[in-house]
Amino acid sequence: MQSISKAAAYALRFINQTQQSIFLTGKAGTGKTTLLKEIIATTHKNTVVVAPTGIAALNAGGVTIHSMFQLPFGGFIPDNSAPQFSDSTKFETKATLRRHFKMSGQKRAVIQNMELLIIDEVSMLRADMLDAMDFMMQSVRKKVQPFGGVQVLFIGDLLQLPPIIRDEEWRTLRNYYRGKFFFHAHVIQQYPPLYIELSKIYRQTDDRFISVLNNLRNNEITASDIQTLNEFVKPDFDLKENKGYITLTTHNVKADVMNAQSLEDLDGEAMTFLPQITDDFPEKIYPVDSNLQLKVGAQIMFVKNDLSMEKNYFNGKMGIVKTMTKKEIWVHFPDENKTIEVDKYEWQNIRYTVNELTKGIEEEVLGTFVHYPIKLAWAITVHKSQGLTFDKAVLDVSQVFLPGQAYVALSRLRSLNGLILLSPMRMNGISNDQDVMDYAENKASDEVLANALKRETKNFILNYLKNSFDWNVLAQEWRNHQFSYNEDAENSVKSKHAVWAKNQAGVIWQLLDPSSKFMLQLDKLFHSEQLEFKHISDRINAAFNYFMDPMDKLLYEILWKIEEVKRQKKAKSFYDELVILDDLQTKAVLQLMKAKLMIETLVNGEAISKERLTSPEIKQYKTIKLERVSEDFKKANITLIEDEKDADRYSPKKAGTKEPKKSTVELTYELWLEKKTVSEIALIRKYNQETILSHLTKLIQSKTITIQEVLPEDKIHALTDAFEGYAEESVSPLKEKHGDKFSWEELRMFKVSLNA
């Protein structure tokens, strides 16, 4: 990550060592997206990322708010009333959400195991939708706390894209809300997040330009600022003569017409490039046009950052198509006199799942979209330019800008030197929303942040340790399970296990009194101003040694009983009850193990992080326990077990367990090391074979593997002869010359192997 600012460092520490909810904002170009990626990569918490729209969710690497929380498309009234619906408006209430919206077991598990919820592009989030989210999370998690006790990180710039509420909806919602922004939600009014603003600007370095942008942002635009901007008015600016400029306009139709006409005006034939789509990737979240039409000479921009070591392009960088074939696109950057081949980019449509062994939240890939990360770039709307960076842009301000649009448009530019205005900028129509300006007054000072961090860190550590010894919910589940036997018929499958249930429930109930006393001890230890972590560590280790053995044995008993019951017919409901106990017991044991790591981290003076709060023992605990129970059960019942397929009678189909997130090429490499074929890797990873071969090409380029591992010897000899004396950048002439003798992928692999 680029040199981290003080505000960014505070945000990272608040996420990892407190339970405090945060609103993280900042001017355009201050690195919000970069910090978001850093948080996701380093936090030890079970994290879910959501956003208000499909495209925003895809860009953030998450899912939509509506799909995650099973929310309806329509307004939400934050009470239990039954509102009257009209033909044009529809509202849900707490009563209707509770009654009508069913949530899958998988989504429930994700919400119940969630520790950190990140909401990206929060400027677009409506107040009523945030209250609906809060209600659903409290309901699913059965905790009457904001968001069911989950820490929330809100990320976005409120001076950019605003929420959309139709007038007919607002006529009803204004009876419940003072405004439409997320901070108008009832849950935020009652429990405001800490307001952290990133202020170090990475995009612009021109002080004069930064001053104009700041004044525009703060509704303090002066006549002098307008005069500065109007120095760049050129009404007769010829875009055809001045390459490398993109026009920012307010309407989609205008941008589409400009791009289509500019492409039409170029000589030569257009070529169409199509994406490779695998499995579930809905059209409504396509990140770029599926039909990419280009000609040589077309002005394009990149819509993603270059993930390779070379960093040849960034999100918004412009270039000109130099050459292309049906399998290659080469783009020239005139200002650098540099030409590169464009690699395809891989977007993933994901959903969140819970790992049954570790209880960690993981991503499951539902489908992929592989395409060139470029689009025509003679024009773009202000709306779609959010997050992009331009060196040169023409602003078409013939239509009046909405609040925030002038700021978004101008802040895309690196400097005033790249600005062209087609008409003078006027004062009217460019002021920002006053509610947003007022909310910005809540920004926390360094002193407030420092004090809050100290206080909230202490609270977080105490609560983390206490929660590790709080088994009241688990004990109540055992109690419910024990008394459920009274409702079953005497001859049912379940009734035969009543004594077992009573014995196990007795174990957990006997632990409640000493655990409650220990939690009171922790309260006293944390009451002092200066914490003695060494002394606290001694007490935690003593408690761990006292409680771990009975908790561990209790899980063994549950797993043994599951082994027994899953082989019996007509025992599905009993099996499901045991699975719930297994889930809660496993979480309790793993949390106990993490508490030990937490206190070790603090004694060593190390930062609380993902690496510190996990260990091989934690990762392998459940797997080892399952293997031991299975072996012991088979030894004890060797004469009873006739058909092992009976053991899977009630088990759900399990997805493969996933490692922490790695790059797409690394994941392919791991499967390659397992001696999987290209077709097998493609099937596992939900990509086509061409994409997997492109990964192997990158692995050859980085010297991770050799071409001899991929291609047979006779093919390498033939390619050696074909490439003798060849000095072109593109492999297209070789492909034309040799036809089907070599595939595109083979030619590319061999070419990069020569440099490697």
Side-chain angles (χ1 to χ4, degrees):
M1 189 177 174
Q2 53 207 359
S3 58
I4 193 166
S5 67
K6 185 186 284 188
Y10 268 124
L12 281 167
R13 292 177 71 187
F14 269 105
I15 292 302
N16 271 331
Q17 54 194 75
T18 81
Q19 194 61 20
Q20 173 70 51
S21 287
I22 302 291
F23 170 48
L24 180 69
T25 189
K27 305 177 180 72
T30 50
K32 293 185 294 295
T33 301
T34 305
L35 182 56
L36 168 61
K37 289 176 181 172
E38 181 76 4
I39 288 168
I40 293 168
T42 59
T43 183
H44 59 89
K45 298 179 179 178
N46 271 344
T47 304
V48 167
V49 181
V50 297
T53 67
I55 296 296
L58 195 66
N59 288 335
V63 298
T64 64
I65 288 168
H66 284 83
S67 68
M68 183 69 245
F69 299 105
Q70 212 73 44
L71 297 180
F73 288 96
F76 174 73
I77 293 174
D79 62 20
N80 287 294
S81 63
Q84 298 296 313
F85 300 141
S86 70
D87 291 338
S88 59
T89 60
K90 182 181 179 183
F91 293 96
E92 301 293 340
T93 66
K94 292 181 179 180
T96 58
L97 279 185
R98 193 183 291 116
R99 238 185 355 254
H100 298 312
F101 289 91
K102 305 296 181 190
M103 188 173 285
S104 71
Q106 186 180 74
K107 273 187 185 153
R108 269 179 196 282
V110 170
I111 293 172
Q112 285 163 348
N113 284 275
M114 192 189 302
E115 295 168 321
L116 172 64
L117 174 66
I118 299 176
I119 308 176
D120 197 26
E121 299 292 6
V122 75
S123 68
M124 295 188 281
L125 178 58
R126 293 165 39 155
D128 59 323
M129 283 299 99
L130 186 57
D131 277 335
M133 287 169 61
D134 173 49
F135 172 71
M136 291 298 269
M137 291 176 75
Q138 288 194 39
S139 302
V140 172
R141 291 172 64 86
K142 297 183 173 62
K143 286 186 180 177
V144 187
Q145 298 172 25
F147 304 102
V150 171
Q151 183 181 27
V152 183
L153 172 63
F154 305 91
I155 299 185
D157 183 355
L158 295 173
L159 291 176
Q160 299 199 23
L161 300 178
I164 297 171
I165 299 182
R166 292 179 293 120
D167 289 342
E168 54 266 42
E169 285 182 306
W170 184 241
R171 279 195 286 273
T172 298
L173 289 173
R174 69 186 176 188
N175 296 317
Y176 302 89
Y177 293 99
R178 286 180 32 243
K180 61 187 178 181
F181 288 94
F182 90 96
F183 55 80
H184 289 118
H186 293 189
V187 64
I188 299 297
Q189 295 286 309
Q190 294 173 49
Y191 304 99
L194 201 59
Y195 190 126
I196 298 180
E197 182 173 345
L198 302 179
S199 55
K200 183 177 179 181
I201 296 173
Y202 295 96
R203 186 175 292 149
Q204 293 94 14
T205 54
D206 176 351
D207 289 340
R208 188 165 70 132
F209 190 25
I210 288 172
S211 174
V212 171
L213 289 175
N214 284 343
N215 288 345
L216 185 60
R217 181 182 179 87
N218 297 327
N219 277 355
E220 295 170 354
I221 194 84
T222 65
S224 172
D225 294 327
I226 296 293
Q227 187 178 346
T228 296
L229 292 173
N230 287 339
E231 290 175 23
F232 300 89
V233 173
K234 293 185 180 178
D236 302 322
F237 187 76
D238 189 341
L239 283 161
K240 289 185 180 179
E241 292 297 316
N242 294 275
K243 306 294 184 187
Y245 282 86
I246 187 167
T247 299
L248 270 67
T249 184
T250 51
H251 291 78
N252 271 316
V253 173
K254 193 165 188 177
D256 291 344
V257 167
M258 285 183 71
N259 283 325
Q261 188 59 54
S262 298
L263 187 68
E264 179 71 25
D265 291 346
L266 290 174
D267 295 333
E269 279 191 38
M271 190 175 284
T272 301
F273 298 87
L274 300 173
Q276 296 142 9
I277 301 168
T278 310
D279 292 351
D280 181 12
F281 204 104
E283 187 174 350
K284 65 184 178 182
I285 63 167
Y286 284 1
V288 290
D289 290 338
S290 55
N291 287 22
L292 174 64
Q293 278 208 324
L294 297 174
K295 287 182 179 179
V296 171
Q299 183 165 288
I300 60 91
M301 72 173 176
F302 288 84
V303 297
K304 298 300 290 186
N305 294 328
D306 185 3
L307 298 177
S308 74
M309 295 294 289
E310 287 76 27
K311 306 297 179 197
N312 285 316
Y313 53 85
F314 53 81
N315 194 1
K317 185 167 183 175
M318 313 272 287
I320 305 293
V321 176
K322 183 179 180 182
T323 59
M324 58 183 181
T325 67
K326 64 180 182 178
K327 290 285 188 177
E328 292 178 312
I329 300 174
W330 289 78
V331 168
H332 183 64
F333 303 120
D335 293 348
E336 302 167 55
N337 193 25
K338 180 179 181 179
T339 302
I340 66 164
E341 183 181 3
V342 183
D343 283 334
K344 290 182 177 178
Y345 192 89
E346 301 155 25
W347 286 269
Q348 296 179 337
N349 178 30
I350 67 157
R351 71 177 170 196
Y352 290 104
T353 61
V354 175
N355 184 311
E356 290 183 20
L357 302 179
T358 65
K359 301 306 171 188
I361 292 178
E362 297 175 341
E363 296 172 9
E364 179 186 351
V365 178
L366 300 177
T368 56
F369 180 100
V370 180
H371 210 348
Y372 292 105
I374 57 176
K375 64 193 300 182
L376 295 176
W378 285 283
I380 191 172
T381 61
V382 175
H383 182 99
K384 290 180 180 175
S385 75
Q386 187 162 333
L388 303 179
T389 301
F390 302 126
D391 290 315
K392 300 175 182 176
V394 175
L395 266 63
D396 175 11
V397 291
S398 52
Q399 284 99 359
V400 175
F401 279 110
L402 294 171
Q405 278 191 316
Y407 173 73
V408 173
L410 286 164
S411 62
R412 301 305 97 207
L413 278 157
R414 287 191 190 277
S415 74
L416 285 168
N417 295 333
L419 173 65
I420 298 292
L421 292 173
L422 294 182
S423 58
M425 185 77 80
R426 295 181 176 82
M427 293 285 284
N428 61 316
I430 60 173
S431 65
N432 290 310
D433 193 295
Q434 191 57 46
D435 277 359
V436 172
M437 304 308 298
D438 292 343
Y439 184 60
E441 298 298 317
N442 292 305
K443 185 178 91 168
S445 66
D446 283 353
E447 184 182 1
V448 168
L449 289 175
N451 291 334
L453 181 62
K454 184 178 178 182
R455 180 183 67 250
E456 295 301 328
T457 298
K458 186 176 179 180
N459 290 338
F460 172 72
I461 295 167
L462 172 59
N463 289 326
Y464 190 94
L465 296 175
K466 284 177 67 176
N467 288 339
S468 304
F469 296 90
D470 183 357
W471 301 311
N472 283 293
V473 172
L474 175 60
Q476 188 57 51
E477 193 64 43
W478 269 109
R479 184 183 180 86
N480 295 342
H481 179 71
Q482 181 188 346
F483 284 101
S484 69
Y485 286 80
N486 299 336
E487 302 163 11
D488 283 88
E490 286 186 13
N491 61 352
S492 72
V493 172
K494 181 178 173 182
S495 65
K496 302 183 183 87
H497 305 275
V499 174
W500 172 85
K502 182 181 178 182
N503 291 338
Q504 307 320 312
V507 172
I508 195 71
W509 280 95
Q510 285 173 8
L511 295 179
L512 286 189
D513 184 52
S515 71
S516 297
K517 288 176 179 173
F518 182 65
M519 285 188 281
L520 289 174
Q521 265 191 59
L522 287 173
D523 281 329
K524 288 177 183 175
L525 291 169
F526 274 79
H527 189 66
S528 89
E529 192 63 32
Q530 288 298 322
L531 296 180
E532 296 289 339
F533 283 129
K534 183 65 179 72
H535 179 52
I536 296 171
S537 175
D538 292 340
R539 302 308 309 135
I540 291 287
N541 285 321
F544 178 86
N545 293 333
Y546 179 85
F547 290 114
M548 184 61 182
D549 188 54
M551 292 292 283
D552 180 71
K553 285 177 179 173
L554 199 47
L555 181 60
Y556 181 93
E557 285 287 342
I558 299 171
L559 296 176
W560 179 285
K561 190 57 62 177
I562 287 174
E563 280 289 321
E564 186 179 348
V565 170
K566 71 185 182 183
R567 290 175 166 80
Q568 299 174 0
K569 295 177 181 178
K570 299 182 181 179
K572 177 68 167 68
S573 60
F574 185 28
Y575 173 86
D576 289 342
E577 288 177 40
L578 292 170
V579 168
I580 292 170
L581 289 169
D582 169 25
D583 181 61
L584 290 171
Q585 191 70 34
T586 300
K587 278 165 62 174
V589 174
L590 293 177
Q591 185 66 21
L592 204 52
M593 296 169 81
K594 286 184 178 181
K596 202 163 179 280
L597 292 181
M598 167 73 84
I599 202 66
E600 284 174 11
T601 300
L602 296 168
V603 168
N604 294 334
E606 296 166 331
I608 300 169
S609 66
K610 182 186 289 185
E611 291 75 23
R612 302 279 179 244
L613 294 189
T614 192
S615 66
E617 290 78 16
I618 287 175
K619 289 179 181 177
Q620 297 164 16
Y621 171 78
K622 185 72 179 284
T623 303
I624 292 170
K625 187 67 64 182
L626 283 166
E627 288 171 355
R628 186 184 152 198
V629 168
S630 178
E631 288 173 13
D632 291 353
F633 187 85
K634 286 174 184 175
K635 286 176 187 173
N637 298 278
I638 192 70
T639 58
L640 300 177
I641 299 173
E642 295 177 2
D643 192 348
E644 271 303 305
K645 70 182 180 183
D646 285 348
D648 296 323
R649 179 179 281 114
Y650 307 123
S651 303
K653 290 180 181 176
K654 295 176 185 174
T657 58
K658 299 177 180 61
E659 291 293 317
K661 196 159 189 178
K662 296 171 183 168
S663 78
T664 188
V665 176
E666 284 176 323
L667 291 170
T668 292
Y669 179 54
E670 288 183 354
L671 293 170
W672 179 257
L673 290 177
E674 293 175 16
K675 306 299 182 188
K676 295 278 194 295
T677 65
V678 169
S679 59
E680 287 171 339
I681 296 172
L683 192 63
I684 292 167
R685 299 221 48 219
K686 297 186 188 298
Y687 287 119
N688 64 20
Q689 292 188 34
E690 183 183 323
T691 301
I692 301 304
L693 287 168
S694 75
H695 294 171
L696 297 182
T697 301
K698 288 174 182 174
L699 289 167
I700 292 169
Q701 189 173 21
S702 65
K703 302 182 184 178
T704 307
I705 62 175
T706 65
I707 195 163
Q708 286 78 12
E709 296 173 66
V710 183
L711 298 181
E713 193 174 339
D714 58 336
K715 182 71 74 174
I716 293 172
H717 284 312
L719 284 162
T720 302
D721 293 341
F723 270 85
E724 189 173 352
Y726 190 75
E728 297 286 328
E729 284 179 331
S730 169
V731 296
S732 180
L734 278 180
K735 180 64 177 163
E736 287 178 19
K737 178 180 177 181
H738 294 283
D740 293 335
K741 183 177 180 182
F742 306 116
S743 69
W744 285 96
E745 288 72 30
E746 288 167 345
L747 290 167
R748 283 203 187 95
M749 279 182 192
F750 192 82
K751 184 172 182 291
V752 300
S753 76
L754 295 176
N755 296 326

